[in-house]
Amino acid sequence: MPPALLITAIIALLSRRVPLNTHHVYNLPNMFQIHFSLSPFFTMSPKNANGYATSNNNNNILSSPPTSPSNRKNCRRRLRRRGSFAMLHRRNVLLIVTVLYFTGLISCVGPLFSLLQYSGLATGAVYRSHEIFQKFWNDIEADNSSTIELSSVWIYKRKLKEQKTCSIGTTAITKDSPGANLYLIVDANGGLNQQRSSICNAVVIAALLNATLLIPHLEFHNVWRDSSKFGDIYDEDHFISTLKDYITVVKKLPAELMERYDSNISNIQNLRVQAWAPPRYYLEEVYPVLFKWRVVRISPFANRLSMHLPSHLQFLRCFSNYEALRFSLAISALAKKLVKRMIERSSNSVGKYISVHLRFEEDMVAFSCCIYDGGQAEKSEMDVVREKGWGKKFKQKYRVIAPGLNRKNGKCPMTPVEVGMMLRGMGFAKDTPIYLASGKIYQADRYLAPLRKMFPLLQTKETLATKDELAPFEGYSSRLAAVDYLVCLFSEVFVTTQGGNFPHFLIGHRRYLYNGHAKTIKPDKIKLVTLLQNTSTSWIDFKHQMGSMLAESDRKGIMVPRVKKSTRKGSIYSNPLPECRCLWESERATNRSNSYLMVDH
């Protein structure tokens, strides 16, 4: 039964007369124990020896005079009315409380109702995109109307409010004398951009505690399986020299300190820090330990600093992310070549191209628990991948896997054919150059074929670079992701198809580069899956819907959401302005905005 009907039934039942005690504890579950007390409506005044009502006054007791028969009749009438009112009142109180109780109960089991509701062929719950593509293909191939020029995709312009004059020297904190010789060690866990967040946060904490920062250690993860060190991905010397006015960064600990721990950093005391900890926590909880032992290690370090910080600390985040963290020479050099080749292959669009971040790799499809159109073979294959990557995580008793609900809620990775239909529906022509940023696509030959059909100028790292150029990066997913990151950064249009730290950071970086506009298409996947299951939808109707979706992405591209504490929606990494405005102005004043691809300054 749907929750709304259940509540209606409860109200109907409770509307009947139910006898209640004037004071009673109703036998509900402990968390909903309710004490009712309706005594004010039923309390009668005490009587004296003559049977008359008396006043409970500590100063004196006055007897009421005998009443006449008519007065007694009026009194009984008033008492009956008062009793009726009390009965109505207590019934209403119980009705409200009971409805609230069952509403809370239903909200707790809401996912169960959702599973039942979407277990069948609910709109948007079933993957039919290949079927829709076959239906649309003739119309797509013949459609040359209302095409969009890449140079005029973005209509909205960001209007920056007038701000007070920035002074970098007074905005940021400067390094104090490192007289105490305190050392901070962090283990940056996760993928490329989660590690990037940890590194920026480590800079802030080191400055806050007046400690020397050891070059962060990048943890090895079973999913990404990348053993890269900090210097393999980022320019160490640039990182150290750029931050020298704010903190001291070293590549190794002093020998005498290492000897104390048998030359093994893992022997150093590890502090478990709460997630999203505010600066006060580090000053009150971490600093005393640091001061006592001279060195502390924090592992894991992902998401261990609040997103909401004072402006001088936020500046250090900006400075670390956009100035100090520059990709290594090898990564920057290859990315520069790929960007140049993409521009050369985009001569028909004045050197502009679209980049698409596609998360349709085998591990992502398995983790999402979504079902596509591979049947039993796909299910068996994904079960093996989940078992290999995450052990028994997906087989635990409490875990509910609902592929239809996941798709309905827009949580399934988009397939290449869905991306292609969306972009053609938005008006991008067949000859639009596209760079596809992705790992190894699941069943690439089958799933990429329709996308190449719709966009023949599709390029990837593998098609743009030679085998010799890619050889040093093979087996290192974070290094390859860094190359993708840079090629996407300089595209005219960036398309994100799934959540995660890669688009989270890239959207913010693009806002920072492009005067506050993200220049990003972020599809409404809940709306999209509904359209792509409806076999009666026409190509004209689909195009109309996609045009509206592009306009909405354009409008939202310049919006800055309200900052919320400890949430990524309020993150400075995805929305760097206005917090990073001072650094942004400084970069433009010194013409450093394109330094990310420069291998030499």
Side-chain angles (χ1 to χ4, degrees):
M1 181 185 296
L5 291 180
L6 183 58
I7 293 174
T8 304
I10 293 169
I11 294 174
L13 288 172
L14 292 173
S15 65
R16 302 174 63 184
R17 183 181 297 272
V18 180
L20 297 174
N21 294 327
T22 59
H23 187 86
H24 191 72
V25 180
Y26 289 92
N27 190 23
L28 298 175
N30 290 336
M31 66 182 291
F32 289 101
Q33 286 281 333
I34 307 280
H35 290 252
F36 288 92
S37 180
L38 301 176
S39 55
F41 299 97
F42 289 91
T43 301
M44 303 296 291
S45 299
K47 298 180 180 179
N48 63 13
N50 296 323
Y52 301 132
T54 60
S55 172
N56 289 336
N57 190 304
N58 292 329
N59 298 326
N60 56 6
I61 300 177
L62 300 176
S63 299
S64 300
T67 57
S68 64
S70 61
N71 288 339
R72 286 197 296 272
K73 187 179 297 184
N74 291 335
C75 184
R76 286 196 296 272
R77 190 178 297 115
R78 287 195 298 271
L79 285 174
R80 283 197 298 270
R81 284 199 298 267
R82 184 179 296 178
S84 300
F85 173 76
M87 178 65 74
L88 178 62
H89 178 80
R90 64 187 180 184
R91 285 172 57 194
N92 288 340
V93 170
L94 180 61
L95 174 63
I96 293 170
V97 171
T98 308
V99 170
L100 288 175
Y101 164 67
F102 279 101
T103 302
L105 184 64
I106 290 168
S107 68
C108 292
V109 298
L112 179 60
F113 283 107
S114 299
L115 291 179
L116 295 175
Q117 183 178 358
Y118 295 122
S119 60
L121 300 180
T123 304
V126 179
Y127 179 80
R128 286 181 176 160
S129 298
H130 272 80
E131 182 182 344
I132 298 294
F133 171 70
Q134 295 299 331
K135 176 189 174 183
F136 283 167
W137 173 239
N138 289 335
D139 292 325
I140 292 174
E141 196 173 26
D143 189 1
N144 292 317
S145 62
S146 65
T147 56
I148 297 178
E149 297 293 335
L150 282 180
S151 57
S152 58
V153 172
W154 309 113
I155 299 173
Y156 287 89
K157 303 296 181 184
R158 179 168 173 75
K159 297 178 180 179
L160 295 176
K161 296 180 180 179
E162 290 187 9
Q163 303 282 348
K164 294 180 180 179
T165 304
C166 279
S167 175
I168 298 297
T170 59
T171 302
I173 58 176
T174 56
K175 180 173 63 178
D176 292 331
S177 174
N181 289 324
L182 308 178
Y183 294 88
L184 174 66
I185 303 171
V186 300
D187 289 345
N189 54 305
L192 174 69
N193 290 286
Q194 190 172 34
Q195 290 173 343
R196 189 182 184 100
S197 169
S198 295
I199 295 166
C200 296
N201 290 342
V203 172
V204 174
I205 298 305
L208 184 68
L209 302 179
N210 192 26
T212 296
L213 176 66
L214 181 68
I215 284 286
H217 170 253
L218 307 184
E219 276 195 351
F220 179 84
H221 195 283
N222 286 333
V223 174
W224 292 281
R225 305 192 68 80
D226 190 318
S227 58
S228 296
K229 303 293 188 290
F230 186 97
D232 296 321
I233 297 178
Y234 299 106
D235 186 333
E236 278 189 347
D237 293 332
H238 177 77
F239 183 73
I240 293 170
S241 62
T242 305
L243 291 170
K244 62 180 173 54
D245 292 333
Y246 305 102
I247 64 169
T248 299
V249 184
V250 295
K251 296 182 181 181
K252 59 182 180 180
L253 294 177
E256 52 90 11
L257 201 56
M258 288 298 292
E259 288 175 4
R260 186 195 302 178
Y261 296 98
D262 298 328
S263 299
N264 188 349
I265 287 181
S266 61
N267 290 335
I268 296 174
Q269 180 177 357
N270 181 41
L271 291 183
R272 290 283 179 171
V273 175
Q274 69 181 39
W276 310 111
R280 184 183 66 256
Y281 178 92
Y282 284 92
L283 293 173
E284 295 176 356
E285 302 294 333
V286 177
Y287 184 77
V289 180
L290 175 64
F291 188 78
K292 179 179 180 180
W293 298 104
R294 286 187 56 201
V295 58
V296 294
R297 182 167 65 95
I298 303 177
S299 178
F301 193 64
N303 304 326
R304 289 301 181 270
L305 181 62
S306 171
M307 285 293 180
H308 186 70
L309 296 177
S311 59
H312 64 287
L313 296 179
Q314 291 287 44
F315 173 85
L316 271 183
R317 267 181 168 156
C318 300
F319 191 74
S320 302
N321 193 29
Y322 300 123
E323 279 294 309
L325 281 177
R326 188 173 71 181
F327 287 117
S328 66
L329 176 65
I331 290 172
S332 298
L334 178 59
K336 188 174 184 180
K337 290 178 182 178
L338 300 191
V339 170
K340 183 179 179 181
R341 291 167 191 173
M342 275 303 302
I343 292 173
E344 289 171 352
R345 288 163 171 76
S346 307
S347 56
N348 63 324
S349 54
V350 201
K352 299 182 183 295
Y353 60 92
I354 292 177
S355 62
V356 177
H357 182 229
L358 188 65
R359 292 306 317 274
F360 200 67
E361 302 96 343
E362 184 179 72
D363 63 324
M364 192 64 194
V365 174
F367 186 82
S368 70
C369 296
C370 295
I371 294 176
Y372 293 90
D373 55 357
Q376 185 58 41
E378 176 190 304
K379 181 182 181 304
S380 300
E381 188 177 358
M382 291 299 102
D383 286 341
V384 172
V385 174
R386 281 189 283 267
E387 180 80 21
K388 182 180 178 181
W390 295 276
K392 303 293 182 181
K393 178 177 180 178
F394 292 92
K395 293 185 178 179
Q396 295 176 2
K397 291 182 180 179
Y398 68 86
R399 193 172 190 95
V400 178
I401 295 177
L405 183 60
N406 288 347
R407 182 167 177 79
K408 175 74 178 179
N409 290 336
K411 295 180 179 179
C412 290
M414 288 178 67
T415 61
V417 68
E418 290 173 332
V419 173
M421 286 191 289
M422 177 186 75
L423 292 177
R424 289 298 297 268
M426 288 177 174
F428 294 103
K430 181 179 181 179
D431 60 353
T432 301
I434 293 180
Y435 177 81
L436 192 65
S438 177
K440 185 178 180 181
I441 300 295
Y442 173 60
Q443 295 189 3
D445 291 341
R446 175 172 178 264
Y447 280 103
L448 278 177
L451 180 59
R452 292 190 184 280
K453 216 173 174 182
M454 287 182 276
F455 292 98
L457 299 184
L458 182 74
Q459 303 288 346
T460 64
K461 296 183 293 290
E462 292 74 18
T463 60
L464 288 174
T466 66
K467 289 184 178 181
D468 289 340
E469 288 172 332
L470 286 176
F473 298 86
E474 292 299 332
Y476 297 101
S477 60
S478 291
R479 300 184 206 182
L480 290 169
V483 173
D484 278 339
Y485 184 97
L486 287 175
V487 181
C488 291
L489 184 62
F490 292 99
S491 62
E492 179 63 21
V493 177
F494 171 62
V495 181
T496 174
T497 63
Q498 187 75 1
N501 284 301
F502 186 100
H504 175 70
F505 269 77
L506 190 61
I507 288 171
H509 207 153
R510 289 171 64 83
R511 287 184 193 275
Y512 185 78
L513 282 183
Y514 302 124
N515 198 27
H517 198 310
K519 294 190 174 184
T520 297
I521 294 175
K522 191 174 182 181
D524 181 347
K525 291 171 65 177
I526 295 177
K527 179 179 180 180
L528 191 61
V529 296
T530 302
L531 292 170
L532 291 176
Q533 188 182 321
N534 186 0
T535 55
S536 64
T537 300
S538 68
W539 174 243
I540 298 300
D541 291 339
F542 183 78
K543 279 192 66 175
H544 175 73
Q545 296 290 343
M546 292 304 98
S548 299
M549 198 175 291
L550 176 60
E552 184 68 3
S553 289
D554 188 8
R555 185 182 70 84
K556 288 185 175 179
I558 63 170
M559 292 175 61
V560 177
R562 294 178 180 177
V563 174
K564 297 180 181 179
K565 292 183 180 180
S566 301
T567 64
R568 293 201 309 181
K569 288 185 178 179
S571 167
I572 196 171
Y573 300 119
S574 60
N575 296 289
L577 301 178
E579 285 87 349
C580 298
R581 183 180 63 88
C582 294
L583 181 63
W584 179 79
E585 289 182 358
S586 172
E587 281 202 342
R588 273 145 188 77
T590 55
N591 196 27
R592 292 178 295 169
S593 61
N594 288 327
S595 64
Y596 309 102
L597 281 181
M598 294 181 183
V599 295
D600 296 308
H601 269 323

